[in-house]
Amino acid sequence: MKTFASGFWALAIGILFPLGGYGQAAAEGQFAVEIQATGEKGPNYTVTNLSGKTVWACVIELSSSTRAWKSRTVWDALLQNEPPIEPEARLLQYLSHEVGGPRPDKVEVIAGVWADGETCGQSEWVNIILQGRARRAAEFGQAGAILQKGLEESGTSEQYL
């Protein structure tokens, strides 16, 4: 029974914290962004991975030249149950904006984490990505402990609920 919990925890850690160095490189030149003001489902933008490596997570910053504001979105394949962005592949996202306010006219990737564990961009935002993954790993650990206890005590589905 302890093997199950140990294996579950190792799997969670391995998925959420890929092996590799924790390096910082600039995000510029690693991604291409294109804004589509009109689209089938409304305005959107695409992020193309130019890095040559698979991207597991990134932080996207939206801003407007007509108004001093910025909005940032953390996109993480693991936490959003989506496939990572392979080299030359695109991520399509809705172009969100404040109702009645200007639409963003600048979209850029300010941080990213590749599948090999390397990172790029602003360290503050790289840390936010990694902290989100750490929280999820802790949640997996708690779920594993509950499941393990249920297995050890021959728990029923009613007890889990």
Side-chain angles (χ1 to χ4, degrees):
M1 296 299 166
K2 290 185 180 186
T3 306
F4 173 76
S6 300
F8 185 78
W9 184 247
L11 176 65
I13 294 296
I15 288 173
L16 296 175
F17 298 101
L19 297 175
Y22 179 72
Q24 284 297 111
E28 294 119 23
Q30 306 291 333
F31 303 93
V33 179
E34 182 182 343
I35 297 174
Q36 295 87 28
T38 59
E40 188 176 310
K41 296 183 180 180
N44 56 55
Y45 62 91
T46 57
V47 175
T48 304
N49 175 7
L50 303 176
S51 71
K53 298 193 249 181
T54 302
V55 176
W56 280 65
C58 61
V59 178
I60 302 164
E61 182 176 81
L62 298 97
S63 60
S64 172
S65 60
T66 61
R67 194 163 153 209
W69 66 269
K70 291 182 180 182
S71 172
R72 293 171 192 94
T73 301
V74 176
W75 179 88
D76 191 327
L78 290 173
L79 303 183
Q80 292 169 300
N81 197 28
E82 294 185 21
I85 310 169
E86 298 293 333
E88 301 302 320
R90 293 183 172 100
L91 170 68
L92 177 67
Q93 295 288 294
Y94 174 71
L95 187 62
S96 60
H97 69 284
E98 182 181 315
V99 174
R103 284 205 171 102
D105 55 14
K106 183 178 180 185
V107 178
E108 65 181 314
V109 177
I110 60 171
V113 177
W114 286 290
D116 65 3
E118 288 290 319
T119 63
C120 69
Q122 299 175 13
S123 59
E124 170 189 359
W125 289 99
V126 168
N127 288 335
I128 287 171
I129 293 169
L130 298 177
Q131 289 168 1
R133 288 180 168 196
R135 280 192 302 277
R136 183 58 59 101
E139 291 167 0
F140 280 140
Q142 290 173 345
I146 291 169
L147 292 172
Q148 182 65 41
K149 181 178 178 184
L151 286 172
E152 290 171 357
E153 297 175 2
S154 300
T156 65
S157 59
E158 290 82 26
Q159 290 173 313
Y160 281 107
L161 296 175

